[in-house]
Amino acid sequence: MLARLEGVGKKYQTGDQTIVALQATDLELRAQELLLIIGPSGSGKTTLLSLIGCVIYPSFGELYVDGHHVNRMRANELAQLRLRTVGFVFQQFNLLAPLTAAENVAVPLKLQGLPGATIRKRVDEALEMVGMTDRRKNLPKQLSGGQQQRIAIARALVSDPKIILCDEPTGSLDKDSFGVVMTELRQLAKDGKSVAVVTHDPRLAAYADRAVEVKNGYVNHVEIEALKS
Ligand SMILES: Nc1ncnc2c1ncn2[C@@H]1O[C@H](COP(=O)(O)OP(=O)(O)OP(=O)(O)O)[C@@H](O)[C@H]1O
Ligand SMILES: [Mg+2]
């Protein structure tokens, strides 16, 4: 098991108003599994992903990621855990415009302070995995949306994280790119990673092992088959 939430939730205080972005949630993320997270806008999906991804601390409940008790970790320890354990893929790709595809993929490894030769080897492997070796020197603006998303996936997997978290990874993709990206995420799960994907798109159910729905901050399991119909 790669992540466990025991009654985990998140509150935000803005002025005199308290928003419960995520109610007390019990959830597990397992290796070799693609978990779908669905639900309306503002329901708490990104909050849930941010908690699992060690980006924010829970306001209540106990959170364990890769065997570490997140509640008890200091901010710098949590940042290290995040770098080692989690890869993120966002809807808007978040590639750095002045950097080439290969340089973008290298960013997480540079943050880890790895030697140049190691970085080059691992970047080559990651680009190979998403079939983008021949576009390594291109800038993001010279790539299609689907190609940019594959670079973003390469960047997420270059550090060999156990958990890959995706926030609407197919939102701005056409049908063909959509298929390529989802097949790649499916393969990562098959290879032993835990993949969680936030989506509004019911077509993604075909690629998932399990699904939860977030509504008003409450998380509930839903049947994959129910989503497909
Ligand atoms: N940093 C923050 N400060 C205050 N409120 C926040 C913060 N982050 C999120 N919220 C609130 O928490 C609730 C859940 O937000 P969240 O981003 O998790 O929703 P979401 O399901 O990802 O929505 P969308 O589908 O639109 O991306 C929203 O009401 C949002 O306004
Ligand atoms: Mg969101």
Side-chain angles (χ1 to χ4, degrees):
M1 193 182 339
L2 289 175
R4 188 162 87 242
L5 288 75
E6 294 177 356
V8 165
K10 185 73 184 174
K11 282 191 293 197
Y12 287 111
Q13 190 82 41
T14 37
D16 55 1
Q17 201 189 9
T18 304
I19 297 171
V20 183
L22 192 72
Q23 302 284 349
T25 299
D26 296 324
L27 186 68
E28 288 177 359
L29 259 72
R30 305 172 197 135
Q32 282 197 310
E33 186 180 73
L34 195 150
L35 171 73
L36 226 52
I37 301 169
I38 59 167
S41 182
S43 59
K45 304 182 298 296
T46 298
T47 304
L48 176 60
L49 224 51
S50 306
L51 284 161
I52 298 167
C54 304
V55 178
I56 53 175
Y57 284 96
S59 306
F60 46 89
E62 309 301 318
L63 175 60
Y64 301 87
V65 174
D66 196 25
H68 299 268
H69 193 180
V70 167
N71 302 62
R72 298 212 185 134
M73 296 177 87
R74 292 136 73 102
N76 61 335
E77 295 171 331
L78 195 62
Q80 287 304 317
L81 177 64
R82 179 170 66 236
L83 270 176
R84 276 201 315 274
T85 314
V86 188
F88 290 96
V89 181
F90 302 96
Q91 174 171 16
Q92 294 308 332
F93 322 134
N94 286 6
L95 297 178
L96 300 171
L99 302 188
T100 65
E103 287 165 347
N104 266 287
V105 174
V107 166
L109 302 181
K110 292 216 164 123
L111 286 174
Q112 287 187 38
L114 295 177
T118 309
I119 293 180
R120 277 190 294 280
K121 180 166 171 288
R122 304 235 321 239
V123 167
D124 286 349
E125 287 166 358
L127 286 170
E128 171 93 50
M129 230 181 281
V130 298
M132 290 294 289
T133 303
D134 56 335
R135 309 310 294 272
R136 53 178 302 119
K137 296 215 167 107
N138 284 108
L139 295 171
K141 68 174 180 209
Q142 300 166 323
L143 300 170
S144 74
Q147 290 170 336
Q148 289 184 55
Q149 194 58 304
R150 282 150 73 189
I151 296 299
I153 292 176
R155 181 185 53 188
L157 58 82
V158 73
S159 51
D160 197 23
K162 294 178 181 172
I163 301 173
I164 297 186
L165 303 177
C166 313
D167 207 340
E168 285 277 351
T170 61
S172 40
L173 300 184
D174 65 27
K175 194 162 152 283
D176 289 345
S177 309
F178 168 93
V180 171
V181 164
M182 283 315 295
T183 303
E184 261 150 24
L185 294 175
R186 179 70 255 163
Q187 185 61 40
L188 287 171
K190 205 167 158 228
D191 292 345
K193 311 219 176 283
S194 177
V195 182
V197 179
V198 165
T199 185
H200 288 104
D201 190 339
R203 287 178 300 173
L204 267 62
Y207 299 86
D209 300 298
R210 208 154 56 95
V212 293
E213 182 171 33
V214 189
K215 259 188 189 166
N216 252 324
Y218 291 92
V219 179
N220 287 297
H221 282 268
V222 285
E223 292 299 325
I224 295 283
E225 291 307 317
L227 294 176
K228 284 183 188 166
S229 54

